[in-house]
Amino acid sequence: AQSVTQPDIHITVSEGASLELRCNYSYGATPYLFWYVQSPGQGLQLLLKYFSGDTLVQGIKGFEAEFKRSQSSFNLRKPSVHWSDAAEYFCAGHSGGYQKVTFGIGTKLQVIP
Amino acid sequence: DTGVSQDPRHKITKRGQNVTFRCDPISEHNRLYWYRQTLGQGPEFLTYFQNEAQLEKSRLLSDRFSAERPKGSFSTLEIQRTEQGDSAMYLCASSFFVGSSGGAETQYFGPGTRLLVL
């Protein structure tokens, strides 16, 4: 089945440290990939997306993600985490056309002082 | 552009009652999606519309669930005879889909409606 997998359910980092959240995908064709962030009780906010072209994509709030076809990965990174980044992060994707988006289980990020 | 809006934000109901949620998409977005999200899970697809046509329904969408988008703008999701298992966050998203783009659409989400069935 076409899907995305987030292997880390919960991650804790210190404020100011770097962050990498993992996402692996399984799509036959080149996928369309997204990262969303969700604060408690809120909807999902789009951080960034990859459709084609440059494999390093920049998003909002200082986030970036790199598409690596050889590893079937689309990991989210941020060089220095702020306390306000504490939230749940969802990787999502689809294979284009009329295929629906599927979401990973989410990674909950905790930021400690 | 005010983004996707959903109403109500919270709903508490008793088992067996009917509830209806409304979603107003970003104007001129032709696709509208409904998702359900339970605690500790990612959003699960329920159904989507392209304009007023409902193009796909998940097997998660039992007979008690019905969705409409009568004029291709706002949409409603109704749950009849609610059950405790229906307690979840119901998310709406919209997108502008152009077939010639190969499906490069981006979904924008509303704040969700949190349903609690007692």
Side-chain angles (χ1 to χ4, degrees), chain B residues 18-44:
Chain B
N18 299 343
V19 294
T20 300
F21 309 142
R22 176 180 169 123
C23 172
D24 287 89
I26 294 171
S27 57
E28 297 178 359
H29 275 190
N30 54 2
R31 280 192 170 180
L32 187 149
Y33 296 79
W34 285 100
Y35 292 86
R36 182 173 67 187
Q37 185 181 24
T38 53
L39 279 176
Q41 301 295 319
E44 296 174 295

Side-chain angles (χ1 to χ4, degrees), chain B residues 55-66:
Chain B
L55 295 188
E56 186 176 347
K57 291 194 292 186
S58 164
R59 57 184 169 80
L60 292 175
L61 214 65
S62 76
D63 292 344
R64 297 184 296 105
F65 288 71
S66 61

Side-chain angles (χ1 to χ4, degrees), chain A residues 32 36 38 49 94 97-98 100, chain B residues 31 37 45 102-103 106-107:
Chain A
Y32 300 89
Y36 289 88
Q38 186 178 37
K49 60 188 177 186
H94 68 90
Y98 291 92
K100 61 181 181 289
Chain B
R31 280 192 170 180
Q37 185 181 24
F45 169 81
T106 300
Q107 294 182 24

Side-chain angles (χ1 to χ4, degrees), chain A residues 32 34 36 38 40-46 49 51 88 90 94-106, chain B residues 9 31 35 37 40-43 45 48 50 55-56 89 91 97 101-111 114:
Chain A
Y32 300 89
F34 310 84
Y36 289 88
Q38 186 178 37
Q42 303 297 314
L44 279 72
Q45 181 182 23
L46 179 70
K49 60 188 177 186
F51 287 172
E88 192 152 20
F90 291 93
H94 68 90
S95 57
Y98 291 92
Q99 299 301 313
K100 61 181 181 289
V101 174
T102 54
F103 285 82
I105 195 171
Chain B
R9 293 291 307 278
R31 280 192 170 180
Y35 292 86
Q37 185 181 24
Q41 301 295 319
F45 169 81
Y48 86 98
Q50 179 149 321
L55 295 188
E56 186 176 347
M89 172 83 92
L91 294 165
F97 176 78
S101 70
E105 64 171 306
T106 300
Q107 294 182 24
Y108 295 89
F109 283 80
R114 183 167 294 282

Side-chain angles (χ1 to χ4, degrees), chain A residues 27-61:
Chain A
Y27 293 97
T30 297
Y32 300 89
L33 297 167
F34 310 84
W35 276 99
Y36 289 88
V37 61
Q38 186 178 37
S39 298
Q42 303 297 314
L44 279 72
Q45 181 182 23
L46 179 70
L47 285 176
L48 48 78
K49 60 188 177 186
Y50 172 77
F51 287 172
S52 65
D54 194 347
T55 56
L56 185 64
V57 292
Q58 303 296 321
I60 62 172
K61 304 185 180 188

